[in-house]
Amino acid sequence: MANAASGMAVHDDCKLKFMELKAKRTHRFIIYKIEEAQKQVIVEKLGEPSQGYEDFAACLPANESRYAVYDFEFITEGNVPKSRIFFIAWSPDTGRVRSKMIYASSKDRFKRELDGIQIELQATDPTEIGLDVFKSRAN
């Protein structure tokens, strides 16, 4: 099913891997890529549960847009372990204009396919998705 605005379809694997992250905690993060030739969003990389924030940040390309989901675990002030599922729209300033436009026009529909997103971040450089940003938004 293609998105009317941008003509992008969402590969079934995108939703399946997200459900695994949400329900089974089998992934720490998922990096999604728009495959322009096939006009669809696909899973580019899965992060193992043992991987952390640094591994996730290293998977975001410096000059290309991506969507990502990150399962952020933290301890509350009351010493209670919790987690929040973040959706990240990564669109670096140095990326191609056409690519950034495609990601921007497809984002809302793609995000709706992932039922269970709790917090959304949009970032154009690494400081906008620093670990401190996750911590402050999670509470």
Side-chain angles (χ1 to χ4, degrees), residues 75-86:
I75 306 290
T76 65
E77 287 181 19
N79 220 20
V80 178
K82 286 200 165 189
S83 77
R84 293 277 185 268
I85 297 175
F86 280 78

Side-chain angles (χ1 to χ4, degrees), residues 2-139:
N3 178 347
S6 66
M8 287 298 149
V10 177
H11 193 281
D12 289 342
D13 221 24
C14 294
K15 290 181 271 192
L16 183 70
K17 297 301 181 193
F18 177 76
M19 294 306 291
E20 289 174 1
L21 176 143
K22 186 173 95 169
K24 300 178 190 164
R25 298 276 196 260
T26 50
H27 314 295
R28 169 70 53 216
F29 60 85
I30 307 168
I31 308 290
Y32 297 100
K33 175 182 182 179
I34 290 179
E35 200 58 70
E36 289 185 42
Q38 284 99 28
K39 294 194 176 341
Q40 70 174 348
V41 182
I42 60 165
V43 172
E44 181 179 51
K45 181 157 181 55
L46 297 170
E48 297 297 319
S50 61
Q51 291 184 293
Y53 170 79
E54 290 79 18
D55 301 302
F56 163 72
C59 290
L60 294 172
N63 300 317
E64 293 179 40
S65 298
R66 292 291 186 272
Y67 301 127
V69 172
Y70 185 77
D71 184 9
F72 179 68
E73 293 180 337
F74 62 102
I75 306 290
T76 65
E77 287 181 19
N79 220 20
V80 178
K82 286 200 165 189
S83 77
R84 293 277 185 268
I85 297 175
F86 280 78
F87 177 85
I88 297 99
W90 171 247
S91 187
D93 288 332
T94 54
R96 291 184 2 250
V97 172
R98 175 177 159 70
S99 173
K100 291 193 284 189
M101 288 174 62
I102 291 170
Y103 274 85
S105 66
S106 304
K107 178 183 65 113
D108 287 339
R109 180 182 176 276
F110 177 62
K111 201 173 82 171
R112 279 196 300 273
E113 298 281 336
L114 307 178
D115 186 35
I117 298 290
Q118 294 165 307
I119 301 167
E120 178 182 340
L121 296 176
Q122 294 190 45
T124 58
D125 74 71
T127 62
E128 295 176 323
I129 52 165
L131 194 53
D132 56 328
V133 176
F134 280 89
K135 288 176 181 171
S136 69
R137 293 289 304 275
N139 290 322

